[in-house]
Structure formats: structure tokens, C-alpha cells
């Protein structure tokens, strides 16, 4: 059986607040991500989804448990893993052209000419061909997020992590970006681990959806998405199977949220 691209075993993360108090964010999260698999993480607000992603990527050291990438322990962000954040306007350098922003995602060992060529190719893949000399502030929000995606893709990663990547754009742009990611993924060889608060988005993109419990979080449910690919916004989202899966995930998330505020009793 092939080695998982990402494996988390009983990850726990504790964070200390400004007053010195220690807070348990995640208590026991385990998951395994296979090659070319797309997995989304959803859960109630404050369940630690972003914190978990940071621990899984090497941006934050977990307080307990282990994380491995392609069979090797994670210590810092490993080569072959790329991350796209929600706040694209903060992740791009406004004083650099988008071509130079994207080139920064390429391996430092590459010659300058090769980095530039890779950047041009990545921009073309996200529909920004011929715009490498523009600056981020000259682009719309959706185009800036496409630039961030191009920068993540330029290194040809084994794993792409995305933290609420489309939350800051309008609904139409969001659906276009979702389809663009699926199109790039279908022609490539990377896996995706995504955090989102949008249950419909999680079902539409993913092979599996993991629902986190309230803080301190653990995996409350794993729901397999057996929808055919390729998927389209209209046909897929209007299908009976999609509607049922979306309702199933939403019910789990809402139940976790109600437990968090004490509206339902903990299960025995």
C-alpha cells in the first residue's frame, strides 16, 4: 500500500493566551491523506480548524501526537507542500509584480530564468497569462487569489493545503475558483487538504469530508463523497446525492455546534 502523502496521529495543540492561561485547541485528531485525494475539514466556529492546518503543515509545532509528510516527520514546512491562505491581500507582496510574487514559490535552487518561466506557466494555468508585469493592487480580489494559487502551484507540490481560500470573494468568483482548482488538480498529481466553513464547497470539491467536534476538537465524523467526477456547479449541486450529502455534513456540524454551547448533552 502506498505511503500516505500526509498522516496525522493523535494531534493535540495547546495555545497560551496573553494572560498566561493554557487553552486546549485540538485534543486528538488523526487523519491520513492518499495521493491525489481531496479532503476537506469542516466544523463549528472556533473548533480549531486553522490551528490544526498549521500544525499539519509544519507552521506550528503540535503539543502532542505526530505528523508526517510522505513518510517523513514534519519539522517546519517540508519541500513539496504548498499553502494558500484566506487573506490573499496579505500573502502577496504589493511592491512586487505578480510574476515576481509567483516566482518566489519556486525552488531557490532554480536559475532565475527557469523561475521566471515556471511563474509564467503557473499564471497561465490560473488564467492570468500575460499579466505578470501587473501589481497585486491592480487586480481584483479573485485575480489576487488566483495569483496566490499560482504561487502555490509553481513548485509542483505533492500536497496543497488551503485555509478558507475562497471565503473573501463573491459567490460567482468563488464557484469559478472552485472549478479552476478542480481543473488544475485533474491534470496534476497533488493531494489537497482544505479547511472551509462552507459545507457545500466541502462536498463539491472533496473525496472525503472530516467533521471536527467543538474545542478541544477531535474528528467527530468522516463522510465519504461518492459523487462522480468531473463535477459541475449546476449538475452536481442539483443532484439528489449532493443534496443528501450536504445535509448529512451540515447536520453533523450543527450538532457539534449545539454541543459546544450546551444545547445538547454529551453522548455517553
Amino acid at each position: 500500500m502506498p505511503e500516505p502523502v500526509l498522516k496525522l496521529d493523535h494531534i493535540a495543540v495547546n495555545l497560551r493566551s496573553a494572560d498566561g492561561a493554557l487553552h486546549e485547541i485540538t485534543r486528538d485528531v488523526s487523519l491520513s491523506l492518499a495521493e491525489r485525494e481531496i479532503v476537506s475539514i469542516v466544523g463549528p466556529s472556533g473548533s480549531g480548524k486553522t490551528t490544526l492546518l498549521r500544525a499539519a503543515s509544519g507552521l506550528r509545532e503540535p503539543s502532542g501526537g505526530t505528523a508526517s509528510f510522505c513518510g517523513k516527520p514534519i519539522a517546519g514546512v517540508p519541500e513539496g507542500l504548498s499553502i494558500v491562505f484566506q487573506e490573499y491581500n496579505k500573502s502577496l507582496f504589493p511592491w512586487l509584480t505578480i510574476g515576481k510574487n509567483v516566482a518566489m514559490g519556486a525552488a531557490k535552487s532554480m536559475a532565475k530564468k527557469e523561475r521566471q518561466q515556471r511563474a509564467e506557466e503557473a499564471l497561465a494555468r490560473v488564467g492570468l497569462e500575460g499579466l505578470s508585469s501587473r501589481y497585486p493592487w491592480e487586480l481584483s480580489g479573485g485575480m489576487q487569489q488566483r495569483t496566490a494559487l499560482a504561487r502555490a502551484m509553481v513548485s509542483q507540490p505533492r500536497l496543497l493545503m488551503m485555509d478558507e481560500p475562497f471565503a473573501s470573494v463573491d459567490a460567482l468568483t468563488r464557484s469559478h475558483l472552485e472549478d479552476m482548482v478542480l481543473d488544475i488538480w485533474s491534470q496534476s498529481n497533488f493531494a489537497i487538504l482544505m479547511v472551509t466553513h462552507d459545507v457545500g464547497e466541502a462536498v463539491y470539491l472533496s473525496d472525503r469530508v472530516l467533521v471536527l467536534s467543538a474545542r478541544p476538537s477531535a474528528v467527530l465524523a468522516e463522510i465519504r463523497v461518492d459523487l462522480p467526477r468531473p463535477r459541475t456547479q449546476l449538475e452536481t449541486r442539483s443532484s439528489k446525492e449532493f443534496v443528501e450529502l450536504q445535509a448529512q455534513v451540515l447536520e453533523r456540524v450543527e450538532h457539534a455546534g449545539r454541543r459546544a454551547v450546551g444545547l445538547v448533552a454529551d453522548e455517553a
Side-chain angles (χ1 to χ4, degrees), residues 63-250:
S63 307
T66 60
S68 61
F69 175 69
C70 297
K72 297 180 180 179
I74 293 176
V77 181
E79 186 176 344
L81 188 156
S82 294
I83 310 170
V84 175
F85 299 100
Q86 174 184 345
E87 297 180 315
Y88 51 82
N89 56 340
K90 293 183 180 179
S91 65
L92 299 176
F93 298 107
W95 58 88
L96 295 180
T97 64
I98 64 171
K100 290 181 178 178
N101 264 286
V102 172
M104 291 187 71
K108 294 181 179 179
S109 58
M110 285 184 188
K112 182 179 179 180
K113 187 175 181 180
E114 185 179 2
R115 290 165 64 91
Q116 291 173 339
Q117 182 180 346
R118 287 281 188 92
E120 293 286 353
E121 291 171 353
L123 284 169
R125 294 185 77 184
V126 300
L128 296 177
E129 187 174 9
L131 299 179
S132 61
S133 62
R134 302 280 291 273
Y135 287 87
W137 43 268
E138 296 181 286
L139 307 179
S140 67
M143 293 170 79
Q144 288 183 54
Q145 190 61 307
R146 288 185 183 210
T147 302
L149 283 164
R151 185 172 61 187
M153 293 290 98
V154 75
S155 63
Q156 300 177 344
R158 295 282 303 279
L159 172 60
L160 174 65
M161 289 189 177
M162 299 192 292
D163 184 13
E164 300 275 12
F166 314 129
S168 299
V169 298
D170 63 85
L172 184 59
T173 301
R174 184 180 193 132
S175 65
H176 289 164
L177 289 171
E178 289 169 353
D179 288 339
M180 183 195 69
V181 167
L182 285 182
D183 183 58
I184 294 172
W185 170 82
S186 70
Q187 302 174 50
S188 306
N189 194 36
F190 58 88
I192 297 176
L193 180 65
M194 181 177 72
V195 162
T196 179
H197 69 272
D198 188 313
V199 168
E201 178 173 83
V203 174
Y204 180 68
L205 292 175
S206 304
D207 299 303
R208 287 185 292 140
V209 178
L210 303 183
V211 181
L212 293 188
S213 67
R215 187 192 301 181
S217 57
V219 176
L220 183 67
E222 177 185 311
I223 298 169
R224 187 164 294 279
V225 181
D226 290 322
L227 297 173
R229 296 188 187 275
R231 299 172 186 173
T232 64
Q233 295 286 346
L234 183 59
E235 183 177 353
T236 300
R237 287 179 180 267
S238 61
S239 69
K240 177 183 176 182
E241 293 79 9
F242 178 90
V243 174
E244 290 176 348
L245 282 166
Q246 182 176 242
Q248 185 180 353
V249 176
L250 185 58

